[in-house]
Amino acid sequence: MMHRRHLLAGLGTTLFAALAPGALRAAPIKPGDKAALLVIDVQNCFLPGGSLAVKDGDQVVPVINRIAKAFANVVLTQDWHTPAHVSFASSHAEKKPFDLIDLPYGKQVLWPDHCVQGTEGASLSKDLVIPQAELIIRKGYHKSVDSYSAFTEADGKTTTGLGAYLKAREIDTVFVAGLATDFCVAWSALDARKAGFTTYVVEDGCRGIDAQGSLAKAWTDMAAAGVQRIQSTDIAV
């Protein structure tokens, strides 16, 4: 006769097999009125053919368009640099794109000229279809300081006003997607956590640059800060 302990163990294994993996998967997230989607820098300069193109950057657009339907609150951001911005390699003699320099606010990666105010490269992708978007936050328009985050410039103290806006709307949760994962998306997500928001990054709604291991570091930093990494299929649309 089979020992009762073995029988129970067998039944448990059978039950687990019957449930996994689908039955153990978390239910899709349904964004409510207190959630906002932040669409980060989906601009022509970061898309194929742009001056700072992110590999496969255009592939985030259909993902973002689809999940945006689930949100009543959507905010878009735009890099909006002055000509000869401090973050441009062309502004520094004998420097080239992706060099690292020291500025008063810390380390600065130097970039190709991109997203200059009023240019076609700075325009949002024409393929974005988010008619309910309520706000565009422009950042990086101070010539002497960069601004990756949607919330705070690179000096760590100058705010864009986004945090106050969201809190005034009683929003407590943000979902972040866009370009690039390891820079403006990650910095926005980290600052969202600092501001007290529950924060999700939609991984397949982002693409990264991955300069010298920056993508892996970004995910590590976000995880340590409590940012939750999800896929677009985790959102109920």
Side-chain angles (χ1 to χ4, degrees), residues 74-156:
V74 182
V75 175
L76 301 96
T77 71
Q78 269 182 298
D79 256 10
W80 199 246
H81 294 310
T82 61
H85 192 266
V86 71
S87 70
F88 295 168
S90 62
S91 300
H92 305 271
E94 300 181 1
K95 294 296 182 181
K96 60 184 183 299
F98 303 104
D99 281 352
L100 196 65
I101 65 169
D102 291 306
L103 290 177
Y105 55 83
K107 298 289 185 183
Q108 173 67 52
V109 177
L110 296 179
W111 305 107
D113 290 23
H114 66 280
C115 297
V116 174
Q117 297 170 2
T119 65
E120 182 60 22
S123 297
L124 294 167
S125 169
K126 63 179 177 52
D127 295 320
L128 283 174
V129 183
I130 314 176
Q132 77 275 27
E134 302 159 341
L135 179 68
I136 296 174
I137 290 281
R138 286 176 168 169
K139 58 188 180 65
Y141 52 81
H142 292 123
K143 188 173 184 177
S144 61
V145 60
D146 208 358
S147 184
Y148 298 142
S149 171
F151 292 87
T152 311
E153 295 187 1
D155 62 4

